[in-house]
């Protein structure tokens, strides 16, 4: 898998890295998740301004997709 290849190429165990930093990651994700609704509201209120800057981002990915990606990853971390 890609994670195994990455681990081997850098000589690290990604699962262990996540486990060793679990407390810090939990705090970061708790804060991220608790601010998710506020971030969505900000996107809606600033949509016109953000659309003008959209050319700086990957045109295939929306800002909302960037915000949801960390939430989707949470479920995958235990599999490492």
């Amino acid at each position: 898998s890609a994670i195994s290849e990455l681990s081997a190429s850098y000589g690290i165990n990604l699962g262990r890295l996540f486990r060793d930093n679990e407390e810090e990651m939990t705090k970061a994700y708790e804060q991220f998740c608790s601010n998710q609704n506020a971030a969505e509201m900000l996107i809606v209120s600033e949509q016109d301004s953000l659309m003008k800057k959209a050319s700086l981002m990957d045109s295939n990915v929306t800002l909302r997709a960037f915000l949801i990606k960390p939430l989707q990853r949470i479920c995958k971390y235990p599999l490492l």
Side-chain angles (χ1 to χ4, degrees), residues 6-42:
L6 185 63
S7 293
S9 65
Y10 287 99
I12 59 171
N13 181 317
L14 291 177
R16 183 176 180 180
L17 182 66
F18 281 102
R19 188 183 65 228
D20 291 349
N21 294 287
E22 181 180 2
E23 186 175 331
E24 292 85 3
M25 290 183 66
T26 299
K27 288 177 186 176
Y29 269 94
E30 284 175 352
Q31 185 174 5
F32 182 87
C33 293
S34 67
N35 289 313
Q36 189 72 21
N37 289 336
E40 284 285 332
M41 290 172 45
L42 183 61

Side-chain angles (χ1 to χ4, degrees), residues 9 25 37-38 40 43 45 53 66 68 71 73 76-77:
S9 65
M25 290 183 66
N37 289 336
E40 284 285 332
I43 288 173
S45 69
K53 296 174 176 88
F66 280 117
I68 197 69
L71 296 175
R73 288 182 178 151
K76 296 178 182 178
Y77 290 149

